Amino acid sequence: MTIKFGIKTSPMHVGYDDIVRVWQEADDLPEIEDAWLWDHFLPLAGPANGPIYEGWTLLAALAAQTRRLRLGLLVTSNRVREPAVLGKIATTVDVISGGRLTMGLGVGGTHQPPGAGGIAGENPALREYAAYGLKPVPPAEGIARLEETIEILQRMWTEEVFDFEGRYYTLIGNRNEPKPVQRPRPPLLLGGWGNRMLRVVAEHADIWNVPGPPHNSLDYLVERGKVLDEHCAALGRDPGEIIRSVQYILSYEDPAGARKEIEELVEAGMTHIVLGLRAPYPEGVAHWVVDEIIRPLRG
């Protein structure tokens, strides 16, 4: 079983130059295969007035300053941009990067109870969406909107011109040129854990991503994986076709403990480990990740 490793630099409470430094350092280290941002407008932790950058704009800048890393957002909120606008943005980033984009996508802000997704307290999307004039929707509507977006993206990337008439979105005479460098399309990563979301993953995704420790326990991830397997069986899809990806937030103080938990994630079937780096980023942090986490695990 081949295990791949990536890093995630959540762009809050950190400077732009620091993010560039980490990505360019990682770009020179083949043990790190991909790098990720997120899609938020307010900090999810720490001071509410701290700096934070818009994900797709930052991703385009980083795509132009790296040469090897695959890249994307974990994950794009489907509630923030109209689907065809998102398709054009993603196409542009794939072209800028020379075909290195992985299209990370999730439902986005929906009405959720406190503590959902392993994040303590009130749903952070409520404050964020209110600040930016966005509206959360019921979960069922969020899933339906996501399915329409997936179809629109796939058609933008493969068809010359098309119309689309959905329940939530309508397009007339859509054209998207140039097409992405990757053919027939960039890989699709879907993030989420609910039963209905896992059905969408089973039907459409190349990669399934879910937050791991400290947000979700190992037992919970195993149980969610079994639900995904059941959906794949119902659809007649081989579950082995879907890469299982997990986010793990690193502690710089306890690399041995991190290695142990990552080993458990791998034993549970996760084959793509995204290591979340806490800001501020130490000098040489990408080298530290390779020396203290990746090489010992592979060795």
Side-chain angles (χ1 to χ4, degrees):
M1 183 167 55
T2 301
I3 310 302
K4 296 183 177 182
F5 289 89
I7 59 169
K8 182 178 180 180
T9 55
S10 300
M12 68 172 183
H13 305 308
V14 67
Y16 168 68
D17 290 342
D18 287 326
I19 298 173
V20 174
R21 167 176 61 86
V22 173
W23 278 54
Q24 290 183 331
E25 182 182 334
D27 200 39
D28 289 331
L29 298 170
E31 293 89 347
I32 300 174
E33 303 204 23
D34 41 66
W36 303 85
L37 303 171
W38 70 2
D39 198 16
H40 292 284
F41 300 111
L42 294 177
L44 296 189
N49 63 346
I52 185 168
Y53 302 98
E54 194 280 323
W56 277 99
T57 311
L58 182 56
L59 190 67
L62 293 166
Q65 297 182 82
T66 53
R67 57 179 174 76
R68 180 193 59 82
L69 289 167
R70 293 200 62 83
L71 43 82
L73 266 60
L74 280 181
V75 287
T76 305
S77 167
N78 192 49
R79 296 294 302 125
V80 172
R81 305 163 192 84
E82 291 292 300
V85 175
L86 176 61
K88 177 59 75 175
I89 293 170
T91 299
T92 302
V93 171
D94 194 59
V95 171
I96 290 171
S97 69
R100 292 184 282 130
L101 175 70
T102 296
M103 184 68 222
L105 189 60
V107 170
T110 61
H111 299 298
Q112 298 285 342
I119 299 175
E122 184 182 57
N123 179 3
L126 298 179
R127 178 172 59 91
E128 181 177 34
Y129 279 35
Y132 279 82
L134 304 168
K135 293 183 179 180
V137 298
E141 179 180 334
I143 292 289
R145 286 178 176 271
L146 178 65
E147 290 183 298
E148 290 190 17
T149 293
I150 292 170
E151 181 178 347
I152 289 169
L153 292 178
Q154 291 175 339
R155 296 184 69 180
M156 288 181 70
W157 292 338
T158 58
E159 298 182 22
E160 180 180 351
V161 59
F162 69 96
D163 298 336
F164 179 86
E165 183 67 41
R167 180 176 180 183
Y168 298 102
Y169 306 110
T170 299
L171 308 178
I172 300 173
N174 180 276
R175 294 180 183 270
N176 181 45
E177 296 297 338
K179 294 288 187 278
V181 173
Q182 299 178 87
R183 299 298 178 92
R185 58 172 178 79
L188 178 62
L189 177 151
L190 294 179
W193 52 84
N195 290 344
R196 287 175 292 193
M197 183 66 203
L198 291 174
R199 170 79 180 196
V200 180
V201 171
E203 188 170 0
H204 297 290
D206 301 298
I207 308 166
W208 168 50
N209 180 267
V210 63
H215 297 311
N216 292 309
S217 69
L218 180 66
D219 289 343
Y220 183 74
L221 300 184
V222 170
E223 186 272 333
R224 292 290 87 193
K226 291 178 180 177
V227 173
L228 177 58
D229 291 342
E230 293 168 359
H231 285 309
C232 287
L235 293 167
R237 184 177 184 188
D238 177 2
E241 295 177 358
I242 303 172
I243 296 170
R244 304 199 178 205
S245 172
V246 64
Q247 300 178 54
Y248 177 85
I249 298 178
L250 271 179
S251 167
Y252 304 129
E253 290 74 31
D254 186 18
R259 291 194 299 268
K260 182 177 183 297
E261 289 193 305
I262 294 168
E263 285 177 339
E264 293 173 345
L265 292 169
V266 172
E267 290 171 0
M270 297 296 176
T271 60
H272 178 226
I273 313 297
V274 179
L275 302 169
L277 306 182
R278 299 177 187 269
Y281 309 127
E283 288 295 325
V285 65
H287 283 279
W288 182 91
V289 165
V290 170
D291 293 339
E292 296 292 335
I293 304 298
I294 299 178
R295 284 178 181 163
L297 285 169
R298 287 183 170 168

